[in-house]
Amino acid sequence: MKSFLKTCTAMTLALSFSSQVMAQEMLKELGKGEGEVNIVAWPGYIERGETDKDYDWVTDFEKQTGCKVNVKTAATSDEMVALMNEGGFDLVTASGDASLRLVAGKRVQPVNVDLIPSWKTVDERLQNAPWFTVDNVHYGVPYQWGPNVLMYNTHVFKEAPKSWNVVFEPMDFPDGKPNKGRIQAYDGPIHIADASNYLMAHKPELGIKDPYELNEDQYKAALDLLRVQRTLAGRYWHDAMIQVDDFKNEGVVASGSWPFQVNLLKSEDQPVASTIPEEGATGWADTTMMHAEAAHPNCAYMWLEHSLSPKVQGDLAAWFGSNPAVPAACKGNELLGEEGCKTNGFEDFEKVRFWRTPVAKCASQGECVPYYRWVSDYIAVIGGR
């Protein structure tokens, strides 16, 4: 955590940037593959059929390119930033709360979209998204996106919870038992945005316009809500597989989660479902970004092109419960099905408040609490302070 705090402090200072970010030299043409590509990814994002033989978008790529895919999974955005700072990786599937930090810290390089033929097929809502595009320079390729859902036990909740209050406020659940010790919260500073998103609906007098742009009073209110949650949470989760086990074996019945865990538990016939409550949800739009000192840039560009194929995009969306960055993937994919994108919320793009790195100079009110404060204060909240 201390290394994360140091990293985040430096990145936040750098994030006063706009035109000050200098574009590094982009690759002008592809050469022969170097034999491997090293990727930092979210769990479940790069599958080679080891978990389920139907989900494999690595094996064929390796055969066709001769580039062996090596994957290091990371459980939080802060972990991804730390790994990219250490080096030794070519690509990272960064969420919006990490991507601009990586740009500001010059840990990633601009991507030459002319070397990626499938770039033109990317969802227009994502092509110039502000979490990876700076001064019209693209620092990556969109990969997948989706909401942070409320996962719940269907034996306890016969109907989907209507509000996020089930994980923020003390109460008895429909089974007559209290929620204390039976809910979880995300082990990452960006969870402060979930609290502020909840307060946007329930305390409008705070005047929160953007859950990632908080003045001191708004920020204090979010921390106070999280301190209440601290008395209720049985665990702060960051490992998706541990959360899956907790829902199966440890009596957890409600938590913010990712569609990945929901789908995995459903595939095992566990009594779970998910919903986006009335307050809406935060979410993630992930970008595959290339390290500034990538040792295998040709294989990396080959992977970027491969990652945008409708087959890969559709299979991944089916596996993770996410939405493809390529709209064509929504049709004709056997695993995703014809209604898969609709089920995963493809039409809800405008309702999701995507993860973004909080900065000191913010659009909604000028001065806001920067990310390094989020990091240190969230550590304190988890520690009971």
Side-chain angles (χ1 to χ4, degrees):
M1 278 296 186
K2 289 182 179 178
S3 64
F4 290 164
L5 178 57
K6 182 178 179 181
T7 296
C8 295
T9 302
M11 292 302 99
T12 302
L13 291 174
L15 274 169
S16 59
F17 77 102
S18 57
S19 60
Q20 296 154 343
V21 174
M22 299 298 293
Q24 295 141 292
E25 190 69 22
M26 290 188 289
L27 198 66
K28 295 297 190 296
E29 61 180 0
L30 286 184
K32 183 179 179 181
E34 300 88 355
E36 64 178 338
V37 58
N38 300 312
I39 309 176
V40 178
W42 292 105
Y45 253 17
I46 299 179
E47 293 288 311
R48 59 167 68 248
E50 294 172 334
T51 307
D52 186 320
K53 62 180 178 58
D54 290 331
Y55 296 90
D56 180 357
W57 43 94
V58 172
T59 302
D60 284 346
F61 171 79
E62 291 179 333
K63 290 178 180 177
Q64 293 167 9
T65 65
C67 300
K68 183 176 184 296
V69 177
N70 305 307
V71 180
K72 167 72 174 177
T73 59
T76 68
S77 289
D78 286 343
E79 186 178 351
M80 287 187 171
V81 172
L83 288 168
M84 291 294 279
N85 282 335
E86 291 173 12
F89 299 98
D90 301 298
L91 298 170
V92 60
T93 60
S95 294
D97 59 328
S99 49
L100 286 184
R101 279 189 277 160
L102 292 169
V103 174
K106 299 183 179 179
R107 291 295 83 203
V108 293
Q109 61 179 278
V111 168
N112 186 350
V113 297
D114 292 336
L115 298 181
I116 305 170
S118 294
W119 172 262
K120 61 183 180 294
T121 69
V122 171
D123 194 326
E124 291 183 357
R125 299 174 298 181
L126 295 171
Q127 281 191 355
N128 300 299
W131 48 83
F132 76 99
T133 308
V134 179
D135 292 340
N136 297 315
V137 177
H138 298 101
Y139 284 83
V141 171
Y143 194 47
Q144 295 274 293
W145 65 272
N148 293 313
V149 298
L150 174 60
M151 180 164 65
Y152 62 93
N153 183 299
T154 56
H155 288 169
V156 174
F157 296 92
K158 302 303 182 183
E159 297 181 357
K162 291 182 170 57
S163 171
W164 284 102
N165 65 352
V166 296
V167 297
F168 281 121
E169 299 179 6
M171 67 176 63
D172 287 342
F173 281 159
D175 61 1
K177 299 176 183 178
N179 61 348
K180 184 175 182 179
R182 305 167 74 200
I183 65 109
Q184 292 185 339
Y186 184 57
D187 182 16
I190 203 66
H191 183 54
I192 294 174
D194 293 290
S196 58
N197 183 63
Y198 179 76
L199 291 172
M200 283 178 70
H202 294 275
K203 289 194 173 181
E205 64 273 17
L206 288 170
I208 299 174
K209 296 181 176 63
D210 185 317
Y212 306 99
E213 299 184 1
L214 305 176
N215 64 30
E216 293 291 345
D217 290 340
Q218 296 162 348
Y219 183 68
K220 180 181 182 299
L223 291 182
D224 286 344
L225 179 61
L226 291 169
R227 290 187 180 102
V228 173
Q229 186 183 59
R230 174 69 181 84
T231 68
L232 306 173
R235 186 198 298 274
Y236 285 86
W237 75 273
H238 62 262
D239 186 310
M241 301 310 296
I242 290 178
Q243 186 182 57
V244 165
D245 185 70
D246 287 344
F247 264 77
K248 289 165 61 174
N249 302 312
E250 300 300 329
V252 178
V253 299
S255 178
S257 189
W258 300 328
F260 173 69
Q261 290 96 298
V262 178
N263 284 1
L264 193 56
L265 284 163
K266 282 184 173 181
S267 73
E268 298 177 0
D269 295 322
Q270 294 293 316
V272 302
S274 66
T275 186
I276 296 179
E278 59 191 8
E279 299 92 354
T282 60
W284 34 270
D286 295 343
T287 306
T288 309
M289 311 181 83
M290 189 181 305
H291 198 286
E293 299 169 0
H296 312 102
N298 293 296
C299 281
Y301 266 96
M302 292 176 193
W303 177 265
L304 291 176
E305 170 62 19
H306 174 72
S307 74
L308 294 179
S309 76
K311 172 66 172 166
V312 171
Q313 286 281 312
D315 288 359
L316 174 54
W319 174 250
F320 203 82
S322 51
N323 292 291
V326 175
C330 290
K331 299 295 181 182
N333 185 283
E334 182 179 350
L335 297 174
L336 185 60
E338 290 303 306
E339 296 295 315
C341 281
K342 183 177 181 180
T343 299
N344 291 353
F346 190 80
E347 298 171 0
D348 295 332
F349 186 88
E350 299 300 330
K351 300 177 183 178
V352 179
R353 297 182 172 100
F354 291 103
W355 280 353
R356 208 172 68 246
T357 302
V359 296
K361 300 292 183 182
C362 58
S364 64
Q365 50 194 335
E367 295 289 335
C368 288
V369 178
Y371 188 65
Y372 79 89
R373 291 264 307 279
W374 288 43
V375 175
S376 57
D377 290 335
Y378 195 64
I379 292 171
V381 167
I382 291 176
R385 303 192 301 280

